[in-house]
Amino acid sequence: MLQFTKSSISEMSKVFRLNLINSCTGYKSANLIGTKSPGGISNVAVFSSVTHLGSNPPLLGFVIRPTTVPRNTYENIKKTGVFTVNHINSSQIKDAHHSSAKYATDISEFDKTNLQEEYLDGFFAPFVKNSNIKMACEFTNEYHIKENDTLLFVASIESVYVADELIQEDGWLNLDKANTVAINGLDGYTKPTLLDRFKYARPDQKIQSFFENDT
Amino acid sequence: MLQFTKSSISEMSKVFRLNLINSCTGYKSANLIGTKSPGGISNVAVFSSVTHLGSNPPLLGFVIRPTTVPRNTYENIKKTGVFTVNHINSSQIKDAHHSSAKYATDISEFDKTNLQEEYLDGFFAPFVKNSNIKMACEFTNEYHIKENDTLLFVASIESVYVADELIQEDGWLNLDKANTVAINGLDGYTKPTLLDRFKYARPDQKIQSFFENDT
């Protein structure tokens, strides 16, 4: 095995370090965050840090660096309080990656990519039309991560939209069927295939698949 | 499309809500966190919230609820300041899921599963032997998420270990080759396959694959 120590990491070229450290934590979620400025300019940008924070109340978080790329996302959320989270599916990966380009504030990425905006149930922020799972979110709070001057944005999930065939009887969404992708590093897009789903683990009991019959 | 509003989410059965809200944010990283108590009892537990926070300095975060399942992880990190993060690969998914069972504090999950502990370069916390990518981490800080009383643990990456064949010339780790899995919801384990890797996106330029020749 290769070992990279903290001092060798600090001496790497910037690109090598970015690639290594962005891929060593494992797969990331792949979402498009949709926002709109108070003046009506919509924005959409790829985020790989959206993370589940809790179910009751339904909460998610994501990390943002206010001074770098997704500046419009940051400003629109701070000004309007709302945004959408839209799963990237395998047919959208080129356009999703394109949304990370630094377009000027007065340009909507919806006009520069094949991603289409749609508005649902009067929510102010735009959703992404072909995403199979999407959420309307309301900003609740930001936490300053002092170690590297980033922000953890926390938001409540106000609505979840899912294509009918994706939801199982027990509420679980089959992301494989949704063609949702996962991100590897900064720029690798992957398509996961379901291996198995397991029942709740209890001490000293064999792990059982959901798809096995109880005998 | 089905819509679940905030009020319908609050009225769902607990299990349905847990499954829906845990899967609607997309794929999650799949890691085993290894710790050891000051008294020498090792612990390993599956975590799906490990997230990249920054590259320079190399930082990661994960979410923990001190009062519920991974209590030993919480206490060991608070007492010793160190832990390891180990990618779950496709051959380990049953054992990884088993590590989420509530064993008593004096029992090591390494003794109850087929996961094997190993110690590298004098680091106090145990690594997981067959993981292809693993990290030694030092706790730096915790942030209290007041919305739901969880904690974001932030840690510096002190060392990264990777199997030789996984690293590309530019530092990117091929997680597909590593057989690293991604988690869908609370209990679904998936194996991602690389679709493509894209070059840095610039305004008004076509997105190019890393695997295309420049022409």
Side-chain angles (χ1 to χ4, degrees):
Chain A
M1 275 199 144
L2 294 168
Q3 184 192 8
F4 300 98
T5 61
K6 199 172 186 183
S7 68
S8 75
I9 293 168
S10 74
E11 285 157 20
M12 285 170 181
S13 76
K14 186 183 168 188
V15 169
F16 196 97
R17 181 173 50 239
L18 275 171
N19 283 318
L20 176 67
I21 303 302
N22 269 280
S23 38
C24 73
T25 45
Y27 286 104
K28 302 168 176 181
S29 60
N31 286 294
L32 290 160
I33 292 190
T35 59
K36 196 161 71 171
S37 73
I41 298 164
S42 57
N43 183 278
V44 64
V46 58
F47 275 80
S48 62
S49 61
V50 173
T51 306
H52 170 84
L53 284 182
S55 297
N56 196 13
L59 291 171
L60 58 80
F62 66 96
V63 179
I64 197 163
R65 195 172 260 123
T67 50
T68 57
V69 180
R71 210 185 53 245
N72 299 342
T73 304
Y74 172 78
E75 285 169 5
N76 290 344
I77 295 175
K78 292 293 285 188
K79 285 175 184 160
T80 68
V82 292
F83 62 97
T84 67
V85 172
N86 308 267
H87 283 216
I88 299 169
N89 64 47
S90 50
S91 68
Q92 294 169 320
I93 60 174
K94 269 200 175 182
D95 288 305
H97 193 66
H98 192 166
S99 76
S100 66
K102 289 178 196 164
Y103 283 104
T105 312
D106 59 345
I107 288 175
S108 168
E109 291 77 9
F110 285 114
D111 295 331
K112 293 290 185 176
T113 65
N114 296 312
L115 301 169
Q116 288 181 276
E117 60 192 313
E118 69 173 353
Y119 290 88
L120 299 174
D121 301 302
F123 197 69
F124 182 73
F127 292 86
V128 177
K129 195 164 186 181
N130 293 319
S131 291
N132 296 318
I133 297 170
K134 38 200 158 196
M135 287 159 277
C137 298
E138 248 181 59
F139 172 79
T140 60
N141 216 338
E142 65 185 43
Y143 294 87
H144 178 236
I145 312 292
K146 64 184 180 192
E147 284 84 345
N148 68 346
D149 215 21
T150 52
L151 296 170
L152 174 73
F153 265 35
V154 176
S156 73
I157 300 171
E158 298 294 309
S159 247
V160 181
Y161 297 89
V162 295
D164 305 32
E165 69 277 14
L166 303 178
I167 192 156
Q168 310 296 295
E169 274 182 14
D170 62 358
W172 187 79
L173 303 178
N174 189 325
L175 304 184
D176 180 349
K177 269 197 198 163
N179 287 315
T180 298
V181 298
I183 293 179
N184 176 172
L186 286 168
D187 45 28
Y189 291 80
T190 68
K191 169 66 182 73
T193 305
L194 184 64
L195 296 174
D196 212 337
R197 241 194 113 189
F198 297 125
K199 294 185 184 168
Y200 190 76
R202 296 177 199 281
D204 299 312
Q205 281 187 16
K206 202 171 152 255
I207 296 299
Q208 281 193 306
S209 170
F210 261 81
F211 310 109
E212 277 168 32
N213 290 321
D214 287 314
T215 48
Chain B
M1 275 199 144
L2 294 169
Q3 183 191 8
F4 299 98
T5 62
K6 199 171 184 183
S7 68
S8 76
I9 294 168
S10 74
E11 285 157 19
M12 286 169 181
S13 76
K14 186 184 169 187
V15 168
F16 196 96
R17 180 172 51 237
L18 275 172
N19 282 319
L20 175 67
I21 303 301
N22 270 279
S23 37
C24 73
T25 45
Y27 286 104
K28 302 169 177 181
S29 59
N31 287 294
L32 290 160
I33 292 189
T35 59
K36 196 161 71 172
S37 72
I41 297 163
S42 56
N43 183 278
V44 64
V46 59
F47 275 80
S48 62
S49 62
V50 173
T51 306
H52 170 82
L53 284 183
S55 297
N56 195 12
L59 293 170
L60 58 78
F62 66 95
V63 178
I64 197 163
R65 195 174 259 120
T67 48
T68 56
V69 181
R71 209 185 53 246
N72 299 342
T73 303
Y74 173 79
E75 284 170 4
N76 290 343
I77 295 175
K78 293 292 285 186
K79 285 175 184 159
T80 67
V82 292
F83 63 96
T84 68
V85 172
N86 308 266
H87 283 216
I88 298 168
N89 64 49
S90 50
S91 69
Q92 294 168 320
I93 60 175
K94 268 200 175 181
D95 288 305
H97 193 67
H98 191 166
S99 76
S100 66
K102 289 180 196 165
Y103 282 105
T105 311
D106 60 345
I107 288 176
S108 168
E109 291 77 9
F110 285 114
D111 295 331
K112 291 292 184 176
T113 66
N114 296 312
L115 301 169
Q116 287 181 276
E117 61 192 312
E118 69 174 352
Y119 290 88
L120 298 175
D121 300 304
F123 197 69
F124 182 74
F127 292 86
V128 176
K129 195 163 186 182
N130 293 319
S131 292
N132 295 317
I133 297 171
K134 38 199 157 195
M135 286 159 278
C137 297
E138 247 180 61
F139 172 78
T140 60
N141 217 338
E142 65 184 43
Y143 294 88
H144 179 235
I145 311 291
K146 64 183 179 191
E147 283 85 344
N148 67 347
D149 215 21
T150 53
L151 296 170
L152 174 73
F153 265 36
V154 176
S156 73
I157 301 172
E158 298 293 310
S159 248
V160 182
Y161 296 88
V162 294
D164 305 33
E165 68 278 13
L166 304 178
I167 192 155
Q168 309 296 294
E169 276 183 12
D170 62 358
W172 186 78
L173 303 178
N174 189 324
L175 303 184
D176 179 349
K177 269 196 199 165
N179 287 314
T180 298
V181 299
I183 293 179
N184 176 171
L186 286 168
D187 45 28
Y189 291 80
T190 69
K191 170 65 183 72
T193 304
L194 183 65
L195 297 174
D196 211 338
R197 240 195 113 188
F198 297 126
K199 293 185 184 168
Y200 190 75
R202 295 177 199 283
D204 298 312
Q205 282 187 16
K206 202 172 152 252
I207 296 299
Q208 282 193 305
S209 170
F210 262 82
F211 309 110
E212 275 169 33
N213 289 322
D214 287 312
T215 48

